[in-house]
Amino acid sequence: MRKYILILAFSIILPVFVLGIVTIEIRGYTTSDWTQIEMNSPVIDGEVIEYKGIGNCQIIPWGIAIHKPQFDESKASFHIKLTFEDFSIEPKVVIKKGDIGETYVEIYTSLESETVKIATLKNSENIADDPNNRKEFKITLNKLDENTNNDKKTEYERKTPRLTLAFYYAWYGTPEGPMGNGRWLHWYGAGMYYQGTNLPEIGLYDSWDEEILRAHMSEAAESGIDGFVVSWWGPGSYETDTIKKMLNIAKELNEKGKRFYISLYYEGYERWATRQETVDELCFALEEFAKDEIFLKVNGKPVLFIYSRAINSLSKEDWEYVVSQVREKCGPALFIADTLDAKFAKLFGGLHTYNVCGTFRKLPQMKLGLRFMNFQARKNGIIHVMNIMPGYDDTHVRVPGFSVDRENGKLYEELWKLVLNLDPDMVVITSWNEWHEGSEIEPSLEYGRKYLEITKKWSELWKERDQTKINKEALTGFFKKQFVPEINLLRASMYVKPDNKRIYIASDNLLAAYALRLLNDSLADTIEKELEKYNNGYDEKHEVIIGVKIPAIFYGRYNEYITSEFTEKFGLIDILYEKPDKSVIINSWKNYADLVVYRALNFLLDRNVREAENLFRTLMRMWDGYGLKDKAFKAYYETYKTALIMILAKRLEKAGSKIVDDYRYEIEKAKLILRKTQAFEGGFTVGYEVKSGEIIQADDTNTETTSIVTIALLE
């Protein structure tokens, strides 16, 4: 059974609009015995530049925490630098403090070469019935938005393959089973034969029963889990024999084409452990288990997880000794430490937290804390194994204990969405079968297979990212192949007639110029200059994709013939300009996915987020799991319409809408599908079909589709 750590409680205020990455400096002092300065935006990095006084000052995922001895009224001054991601356009600061003294804060930011004070705040309150003496402040932005960094993030170089692991407990015994041998182990409590929150669907089982182990591992593998991290209590423990059995079963699975790994969770001891005992036990684990080919390894190094009890039982200096001795005696090894301190975790090579529910308690804080850990791990060059949980309830085994509601799967899915957003090195689920604390995803009488189905759905989607990456070089090459130098524009299609002999002004070249900007290619300048001859390429429809308002009415379309020109490479080329036919009004536009998106984008340009959200819901009702089936659907899904989902979703998020989060799985699925439509020529195919769950490219590659997909994926 796990211990939990409560770090902080914090009420988050969700931002309406975001500005990008912002760095601020906080200077001030406190004469209280403790104080916290909290922001309503996630801190992704921080530095204590200077701290003078008794106690300590630390960066937390939502600001600063200072702790001094109780009733200490001495003055402590501080100078802190904080970096935020998605800084709120209505930033708020909350100052909490003890009942004595005051906390004074000045907030600065840099505008070009000038440092500007943007706020002066003070809390000297002693509020009845509020032990935190909470005081909230709003910050006037002035020109804060000029200090944002909206450059594209550099792609993170992964240190591991994407793997989904789960903590596994091998401590259960039954009177009839080989481990229990006439006794109940871990299934019993005072006055009852079961001590847990829920009941296993298969009944109470014995952890030495190989059929149970085989069933668990097979079921996990089928559900998108790549391995178990098995709780281990040292040489001679029950789990030692169980791990050996599990390694053999994993080999069987591997022979059947189901790759499954085993690692262990070193539990350690409280208070009485010595550093030499720790060295001996870790070396035993590496010698006894890690040499097996099925044992989890990263770049050839065996991976062991270290629980916080073990971490906290030794000093930092002791752990420096332990890690160096283990690596010297047993060879290179990677340890994933249960700690929030990435700088300390560099000693081990990676970090995780066992119980994200216990550490942060509420979903908003979980998201902030995990985002903070992910950023810090990358900054320090170590592995982040992100923890996710379906929920938590230890009130059956602790008094008073605490619980975090599963919300019928919502909590678990929200954390999986964060996995897709942060893309950590690996994921670890707490837990497969920690029944005492109600964190299990193993099928139960209460929930059935619900949590395995959720795991399979999200885990497979996340891991498929490795299989499909855009070839940007080939993509740029496609546009260059389509370029007609005599006309300074791009032709429509590569092979299909008659479009391989045509140039369309708006739907193709207007959008291609924008796409080439995203690819940082100078060909965009050439195309844009040529489009100046044609009203910049606007056609009262497609320009809304690049942020230009269009009329509120949709009309029929016709192609206006401009001219024909003979070219050396492509022969005779016709130039056509798409125009609205204002004699034909399209009243049924809500039946067409592309028109729904164009109208929604128009609403966003008017800052009418609510109407854009309503149209996004309309659009997603056309989604059938693989693409959009609107009134125009025929033989295959149209790739550009799938891309339009992503364009609208991204614009909604930039406008501060939260609706996109309700469709995160569908949007990620759309992204994956789009990546699979890139043809060998570099462009994206006009359509795709789905056969046995596989995406099959259909039709030609053309400039319009390729431009819209490029915008969707790279904007």
Side-chain angles (χ1 to χ4, degrees), residues 168-169 172 174 178 187 200 202-219 228 242 246 249 432-433 442:
Y168 185 89
Y169 293 88
Y172 301 105
T174 62
W187 290 126
I202 61 174
L204 308 186
Y205 51 79
D206 193 291
S207 294
W208 270 2
D209 186 333
E210 291 191 25
E211 289 308 308
I212 291 293
L213 297 174
R214 187 172 286 106
H216 281 172
M217 293 165 69
S218 296
E219 197 165 29
F228 282 152
T242 309
M246 295 176 83
I249 295 169
W432 174 266
N433 63 342
E442 179 187 349

Side-chain angles (χ1 to χ4, degrees), residues 506-508 510-511 537 539-548 550 557 578 598 640 704 708:
S507 60
D508 289 8
L510 172 72
L511 300 179
D539 66 348
E540 299 187 13
K541 180 180 175 183
H542 291 95
E543 61 263 33
V544 75
I545 294 178
I546 67 169
V548 177
I550 59 174
R557 312 290 292 178
E578 312 93 301
Y598 299 149
Y640 86 96
E704 179 183 8
I708 294 176

Side-chain angles (χ1 to χ4, degrees), residues 413-617:
E413 295 217 55
E414 287 296 318
L415 291 174
W416 268 115
K417 290 176 185 178
L418 190 62
V419 169
L420 295 178
N421 180 260
L422 297 181
D423 195 19
D425 295 290
M426 290 188 279
V427 170
V428 63
I429 301 164
T430 304
S431 62
W432 174 266
N433 63 342
E434 219 297 10
W435 292 94
H436 305 300
E437 296 177 345
S439 67
E440 80 291 329
I441 63 169
E442 179 187 349
S444 64
L445 293 179
E446 291 78 8
Y447 303 113
R449 295 181 54 81
K450 180 184 183 73
Y451 289 92
L452 292 192
E453 292 167 359
I454 294 173
T455 302
K456 182 178 178 66
K457 166 184 165 183
W458 289 97
S459 178
E460 290 184 351
L461 183 64
W462 174 57
K463 287 183 287 190
E464 279 185 324
R465 286 184 177 182
D466 282 333
Q467 302 172 16
T468 51
K469 292 187 177 180
I470 304 173
N471 185 333
K472 291 184 181 179
E473 184 178 350
L475 176 57
T476 304
F478 168 82
F479 284 116
K480 293 185 181 299
K481 290 173 188 173
Q482 293 296 91
F483 184 65
V484 184
E486 293 89 344
I487 305 175
N488 285 331
L489 295 173
L490 282 68
R491 62 182 180 142
S493 74
M494 192 159 253
Y495 305 114
V496 172
K497 298 178 181 179
D499 281 351
N500 65 337
K501 297 286 188 177
R502 287 181 173 177
I503 286 175
Y504 292 99
I505 298 295
S507 60
D508 289 8
N509 282 277
L510 172 72
L511 300 179
Y514 187 65
L516 284 161
R517 284 267 175 244
L518 297 174
L519 288 164
N520 296 314
D521 194 278
S522 61
L523 186 57
D525 297 328
T526 303
I527 296 170
E528 286 174 355
K529 184 170 181 58
E530 189 66 24
L531 288 176
E532 291 175 2
K533 301 176 183 177
Y534 307 99
N535 189 33
N536 296 315
Y538 298 166
D539 66 348
E540 299 187 13
K541 180 180 175 183
H542 291 95
E543 61 263 33
V544 75
I545 294 178
I546 67 169
V548 177
K549 281 267 296 178
I550 59 174
I553 298 173
F554 289 114
Y555 300 103
R557 312 290 292 178
Y558 74 96
N559 292 321
E560 179 182 292
Y561 172 77
I562 303 296
T563 187
S564 298
E565 187 166 337
F566 185 83
T567 66
E568 182 177 341
K569 187 175 180 181
F570 303 109
L572 192 64
I573 293 287
D574 296 331
I575 302 176
L576 303 173
Y577 196 168
E578 312 93 301
K579 296 288 184 69
D581 180 354
K582 297 192 175 180
S583 67
V584 180
I585 297 176
I586 303 176
N587 293 313
S588 61
W589 59 270
K590 283 190 177 181
N591 294 320
Y592 298 94
D594 52 348
L595 300 186
V596 169
V597 172
Y598 299 149
R599 176 60 59 84
L601 293 175
N602 224 31
F603 276 128
L604 286 178
L605 291 174
D606 286 331
R607 300 180 74 83
N608 189 340
V609 177
R610 179 175 294 181
E611 287 301 323
E613 289 177 333
N614 289 336
L615 289 176
F616 185 72
R617 292 188 188 96

Side-chain angles (χ1 to χ4, degrees), residues 121 232 530 693:
L121 318 171
W232 184 66
E530 189 66 24

Side-chain angles (χ1 to χ4, degrees), residues 230-279:
V230 185
S231 170
W232 184 66
W233 294 77
S237 64
Y238 289 110
E239 294 84 2
T240 297
D241 287 338
T242 309
I243 291 173
K244 291 177 181 178
K245 293 177 181 180
M246 295 176 83
L247 287 167
N248 289 330
I249 295 169
K251 290 176 187 175
E252 294 175 14
L253 291 175
N254 187 45
E255 290 169 0
K256 295 176 182 178
K258 298 177 182 178
R259 189 72 175 175
F260 200 81
Y261 300 98
I262 298 296
S263 181
L264 62 83
Y265 205 13
Y266 180 62
E267 297 278 355
Y269 308 94
E270 283 189 288
R271 292 183 297 276
W272 58 268
T274 68
R275 65 184 191 176
Q276 192 55 51
E277 286 173 331
T278 305
V279 170

Side-chain angles (χ1 to χ4, degrees), residues 118-189:
I118 59 174
T120 299
L121 318 171
K122 185 168 76 168
N123 183 357
S124 55
E125 304 290 335
N126 189 339
I127 304 170
D129 301 322
D130 181 3
N132 293 318
N133 299 303
R134 183 182 189 277
K135 191 171 183 180
E136 181 180 299
F137 305 85
K138 290 184 179 180
I139 298 177
T140 303
L141 277 180
N142 297 327
K143 296 183 178 181
L144 184 57
D145 56 328
E146 294 178 14
N147 188 39
T148 62
N149 178 6
N150 290 311
D151 293 339
K152 297 292 178 184
K153 297 177 183 177
T154 57
E155 190 169 338
Y156 173 64
E157 185 177 346
R158 299 195 59 77
K159 293 181 171 58
T160 72
R162 291 182 180 85
L163 295 176
T164 299
L165 309 170
F167 288 117
Y168 185 89
Y169 293 88
W171 53 26
Y172 301 105
T174 62
E176 301 80 17
M179 181 187 286
N181 191 23
R183 300 167 299 163
W184 289 101
L185 297 176
H186 269 268
W187 290 126
Y188 69 89

